[in-house]
Amino acid sequence: MGGQHSTADRFGGALGPEQRERAWADLGEQRFDVVVVGGGVVGVGTALDAATRGLKVALVEARDLASGTSSRSSKLFHGGLRYLEQLEFGLVREALRERELMLTRLAPHLVKPVSFLYPLSNRVWERPYTAAGLFLYDTMGGARSVPGQKHLSRSGALRLVPALKRDALIGGIRYFDAIADDARHTMTVARTAAHYGAVVRTSTQVVGFLRESDRVTGVRVRDVEDGRETDVRAEAVINCTGVWTDELQRVSGSRGRFRVRASKGVHIVVPKDRIIAESGLILRTEKSVLFVIPWRNHWIVGTTDTDWNLDLAHPAATRADIDYILDHVNTVLARPLTHDDIEGVYAGLRPLLAGESEETSKLSREHAVARVSPGLVAIAGGKYTTYRVMAADAVDAASVDLPGRLQPSITDQVPLLGADGYHALVNQADLLAAEHGLHPYRVRHLLDRYGSLLHEVLELAKDRPDLLKPLDGAADYLRVEAVYAASHEGALHLEDVLARRLRVSIEYPHRGADSARQVADLVGEVLGWDEKTREHEAQLYLSRVAAERASQSEADDTAADASRIAAPEARDKLTDLV
């Protein structure tokens, strides 16, 4: 098991144009211990786990970091309260330990405590039943970085969430979980892996597998920006492609050990003033639960849980999905939400392990890992919160194909980039604000997105004070953040910036359309786009927004899918492998 390329960390974990070229050369020239396929949270977590065990690691992603499931979750780091009802105590305990690690040690800049009110409607059994579940939830969490449950009368619950109908509850219980910007967290894990020497490269699609007799010895990859191809040699390949697991399995020519089914989850985003509340909400539905989650100056409301058998890259929300969410949340709100209140909508696919049951909400959220053939490991299932545990299991499974002794996983002791020094900087926010001519509120917002990497971001504006102005049409974000997304965070296209590095596409009613041209100019400076390319990127993004809007007015999945896939791909050399 070799050490890393001597220049691997000269970029300090930055994923920019220069690093991208170096990474392409490394992929073709070096032999790796492990090649990880997939840039979602499990893939980047696996790359970080392997790199910090002293392995030589490459990670390739066909699209963008977190471009699939990992940017479209409920944004929660949570134990999964409803899994207690399914008696999955091990899963809940594991997830709560991960929540604790994120809040306290690994990512305090990205993962924050959030409170939820559980409204009670039955006088006899519900309070003791729910309280017992929440007591288990609290005690399983180990060390306490969030407050425990608190019982509230009806009037106490209504003081906390005045938006509720008085007759919708007889009381409530308040408990705490944690929230994170999923796409930003995934990208930060990827950059941390690069910091520890992993070669990380997006827009790099696996188009074939290398073999020696029955053994997988690497992958053939294509740069989907320019069409170049190269072979990447490795002792082991780990398939972390989530809902694409079965597709990649077929390309490898090996029979899979498990099947993955895609379940669609839709969320809507509404302005903070549409629901007057000082806490999030968790509501029971006939099939699952519905969350109302605080998200900066917005609420995220979701989710749905339905089978999806259409385009995996661009799952589409239908009008029926949106109506389902509105109907359920409006059963408890004194002032109902309408379609006009919606700022953003997003749909994601959960990679569920296919079981006997036909109901997706009953399928297991446990993960499975298998050595599919010599040199090839696959991992799937699980939930965002337990990505680090999944990653360690995947690397352990690959150990049989690695020469030498494998060190144990240590990622529970490896803070993500930006965590170190974060708390001190929060205390210094007023000083930093004065130094850079920004409002302290703005500095705190930046710290919760970049942590101690804030200095790196603001350095880009040192001689360009115009970069510290807000973006057109998206005042929550500074222009320098769009520049930094391309120079340090691996963004290659306008949609990477507006949909994932910044969350403009779900936080503003214009879905990013009003910011597209300005951001194309800012990103274009870093990536060397000429005027024609900038205009092309802006038009691509606008067509994506139009296609998503069209799909959200369709009645069913088939029609919504047809509307959504009408928009052209930003990465136009992607190949359909199956």
Side-chain angles (χ1 to χ4, degrees):
M1 290 180 271
Q4 300 293 38
H5 191 284
S6 60
T7 61
D9 189 38
R10 72 177 187 201
F11 301 104
L15 300 177
E18 188 189 348
Q19 173 275 341
R20 182 172 172 75
E21 248 343 280
R22 173 71 253 177
W24 183 258
D26 285 345
L27 288 177
E29 293 165 9
Q30 297 192 40
R31 185 176 183 92
F32 296 91
D33 292 315
V34 171
V35 172
V36 180
V37 185
V41 74
V42 176
V44 298
T46 300
L48 176 59
D49 186 273
T52 53
R53 295 197 202 198
L55 298 176
K56 194 169 182 179
V57 183
L59 176 137
V60 292
E61 158 60 42
R63 288 178 171 82
D64 183 27
L65 296 167
S67 58
T69 306
S70 297
S71 59
R72 307 179 206 187
S73 74
S74 293
K75 321 282 182 242
L76 293 174
F77 262 89
H78 65 132
L81 194 55
R82 70 190 175 100
Y83 304 125
L84 284 178
E85 283 196 293
Q86 295 167 15
L87 306 181
E88 296 198 45
F89 298 118
L91 181 62
V92 175
R93 183 180 287 109
E94 187 174 79
L96 287 170
R97 175 171 184 263
E98 294 305 308
R99 182 191 77 180
E100 181 71 22
L101 277 170
M102 290 297 150
L103 284 167
T104 56
R105 184 189 302 167
L106 303 186
H109 54 316
L110 301 175
V111 183
K112 308 289 177 188
V114 61
S115 89
F116 287 99
L117 175 71
Y118 187 109
L120 299 168
S121 55
N122 184 290
R123 286 195 181 278
V124 183
W125 61 269
E126 196 176 16
R127 191 182 288 274
Y129 176 79
T130 308
L134 283 166
F135 175 76
L136 267 176
Y137 200 66
D138 287 343
T139 51
M140 280 179 170
R144 296 286 288 279
S145 57
V146 298
Q149 61 171 298
K150 184 179 181 186
H151 287 249
L152 301 166
S153 64
R154 176 192 278 166
S155 58
L158 288 169
R159 275 197 300 276
L160 188 65
V161 184
L164 290 172
K165 289 178 187 168
R166 188 167 179 78
D167 62 2
L169 72 168
I170 55 144
I173 306 176
R174 183 190 201 179
Y175 75 98
F176 279 78
D177 252 319
I179 190 169
D181 181 333
D182 48 5
R184 173 149 293 281
H185 173 268
T186 296
M187 181 273 300
T188 306
V189 178
R191 285 192 59 190
T192 308
H195 175 75
Y196 286 104
V199 174
V200 175
R201 202 168 192 280
T202 60
S203 282
T204 306
Q205 184 180 23
V206 170
V207 292
F209 282 75
L210 310 181
R211 288 184 171 276
E212 286 170 19
S213 65
D214 69 336
R215 183 182 179 78
V216 170
T217 57
V219 289
R220 182 159 186 83
V221 296
R222 174 181 299 141
D223 183 324
V224 298
E225 302 296 330
D226 60 22
R228 290 180 289 178
E229 292 192 6
T230 194
D231 288 342
V232 187
R233 305 198 173 277
E235 305 295 337
V237 175
I238 304 181
N239 176 359
C240 300
T241 54
V243 292
W244 285 275
T245 301
D246 295 353
E247 276 77 356
L248 199 73
Q249 206 61 63
R250 284 196 282 275
V251 175
S252 78
S254 312
R255 235 188 115 241
R257 297 290 171 82
F258 45 75
R259 282 191 317 108
V260 174
R261 245 168 67 184
S263 161
K264 183 176 68 164
V266 173
H267 295 79
I268 63 171
V269 183
V270 299
K272 203 59 169 253
D273 63 5
R274 296 300 188 277
I275 302 174
I276 306 304
E278 291 173 37
S279 170
L281 281 171
I282 177 171
L283 307 169
R284 276 182 174 281
T285 69
E286 63 278 6
K287 289 193 288 192
S288 183
V289 293
L290 193 76
F291 284 103
V292 178
I293 304 160
W295 178 258
R296 299 200 274 272
N297 6 332
H298 319 268
W299 298 100
I300 292 174
V301 188
T303 177
T304 61
D305 200 343
T306 54
D307 249 340
W308 178 264
N309 301 304
L310 300 162
D311 183 55
L312 296 175
H314 307 294
T318 63
R319 189 174 180 92
D321 294 325
I322 296 166
D323 285 341
Y324 170 89
I325 294 170
L326 291 175
D327 290 347
H328 280 79
V329 76
N330 285 341
T331 60
V332 299
L333 293 181
R335 177 180 171 257
L337 294 175
T338 69
H339 283 270
D340 292 339
D341 293 322
I342 295 172
E343 296 174 300
V345 179
Y346 63 94
L349 299 177
R350 303 175 192 88
L352 301 180
L353 294 174
E356 297 303 308
S357 167
E358 287 304 302
E359 294 177 65
T360 59
S361 57
K362 296 277 197 313
L363 291 183
S364 176
R365 300 308 297 274
E366 296 275 11
H367 64 271
V369 59
R371 183 168 176 256
V372 181
S373 63
L376 179 60
V377 166
I379 185 161
K383 56 204 286 274
Y384 193 110
T385 306
T386 54
Y387 81 90
R388 203 189 57 77
V389 177
M390 294 174 68
D393 286 352
V395 178
D396 285 344
S399 65
V400 67
D401 292 306
L402 301 173
R405 185 174 158 272
L406 183 64
Q407 298 295 326
S409 175
I410 58 155
T411 50
D412 60 346
Q413 300 168 61
V414 179
L416 301 186
L417 289 186
D420 191 27
Y422 163 73
H423 294 294
L425 288 171
V426 170
N427 290 342
Q428 297 168 353
D430 290 358
L431 292 172
L432 287 165
E435 184 186 332
H436 294 281
L438 293 167
H439 193 284
Y441 168 82
R442 182 74 75 179
V443 170
R444 289 188 186 92
H445 182 233
L446 290 169
L447 283 169
D448 288 347
R449 289 171 51 70
Y450 304 96
S452 53
L453 296 177
L454 169 82
H455 297 302
E456 216 171 61
V457 180
L458 294 176
E459 180 69 21
L460 294 176
K462 199 164 120 187
D463 303 316
R464 288 191 55 188
D466 62 302
L467 290 180
L468 293 182
K469 291 182 177 160
L471 281 176
D472 291 350
D476 281 347
Y477 300 100
L478 299 178
R479 296 173 188 179
V480 72
E481 296 185 74
V483 175
Y484 187 78
S487 65
H488 288 72
E489 295 181 340
L492 297 175
H493 291 280
L494 190 53
E495 79 166 63
D496 301 348
V497 180
L498 291 172
R500 288 177 286 276
R501 305 303 183 280
L502 319 178
R503 306 315 291 267
V504 178
S505 69
I506 61 168
E507 291 177 347
Y508 292 88
H510 60 76
R511 314 274 172 102
D514 294 0
S515 315
R517 188 56 225 228
Q518 184 186 42
V519 175
D521 287 340
L522 291 164
V523 169
E525 289 176 32
V526 180
L527 299 181
W529 293 348
D530 58 19
E531 179 58 30
K532 187 178 169 190
T533 307
R534 294 177 192 196
E535 184 57 33
H536 176 65
E537 283 284 331
Q539 290 307 317
L540 271 178
Y541 185 77
L542 293 175
S543 63
R544 168 200 158 113
V545 171
E548 286 192 343
R549 283 193 192 282
S551 70
Q552 289 154 19
S553 65
E554 299 289 1
D556 59 59
D557 281 351
T558 306
D561 180 63
S563 292
R564 178 61 188 89
I565 61 175
E569 280 274 6
R571 294 164 166 83
D572 59 3
K573 292 182 174 61
L574 274 164
T575 306
D576 191 356
L577 298 176
V578 289

